[in-house]
Amino acid sequence: LRAAGTGEFSGRGDRNERRRQLLAALLSRTGVDDGDLVNTLQALTSFAFVDELAGPERTPDDVAEAVVRLVSSEVAARA
């Protein structure tokens, strides 16, 4: 278990940073360099946001399409 606490398996903080870097890289490939957009997309794709949007009656899969629409809308508005 100790190994799980270091390196690539070190927890939520690192996972969030990896997601942020991935979002920034994907946007960069499209020619968009906008730190605010990266922050917005990170919030929209976070577990907390998806979980809150789903609520007790739906699953993350049930709200995935809505999240995709929100992300697409933000990217289109700033590109």
Side-chain angles (χ1 to χ4, degrees), residues 3 14 19-20 25 27 29 44-46 50 56 59 61 65 79:
D14 287 342
R19 187 162 40 88
R20 173 183 290 290
L27 288 173
R29 287 183 181 188
L44 289 173
T45 59
S46 71
V50 172
T59 69
D61 287 341
E65 190 174 319

Side-chain angles (χ1 to χ4, degrees), residues 14-33:
D14 287 342
R15 183 178 27 209
N16 286 336
E17 183 55 33
R18 286 191 306 271
R19 187 162 40 88
R20 173 183 290 290
Q21 290 172 359
L22 175 65
L23 290 166
L26 289 172
L27 288 173
S28 177
R29 287 183 181 188
T30 65
V32 176
D33 182 22

Side-chain angles (χ1 to χ4, degrees), residues 2-78:
R2 185 176 207 187
T6 62
E8 66 183 90
F9 303 107
S10 63
R12 184 177 54 214
D14 287 342
R15 183 178 27 209
N16 286 336
E17 183 55 33
R18 286 191 306 271
R19 187 162 40 88
R20 173 183 290 290
Q21 290 172 359
L22 175 65
L23 290 166
L26 289 172
L27 288 173
S28 177
R29 287 183 181 188
T30 65
V32 176
D33 182 22
D34 183 342
D36 189 47
L37 180 56
V38 172
N39 291 339
T40 300
L41 297 183
Q42 184 165 16
L44 289 173
T45 59
S46 71
F47 172 80
F49 180 80
V50 172
D51 188 52
E52 184 70 25
L53 187 60
E57 310 257 331
R58 299 184 292 177
T59 69
D61 287 341
D62 295 335
V63 298
E65 190 174 319
V67 173
V68 169
R69 281 194 310 269
L70 289 167
V71 167
S72 296
S73 177
E74 282 299 313
V75 171
R78 299 179 195 217

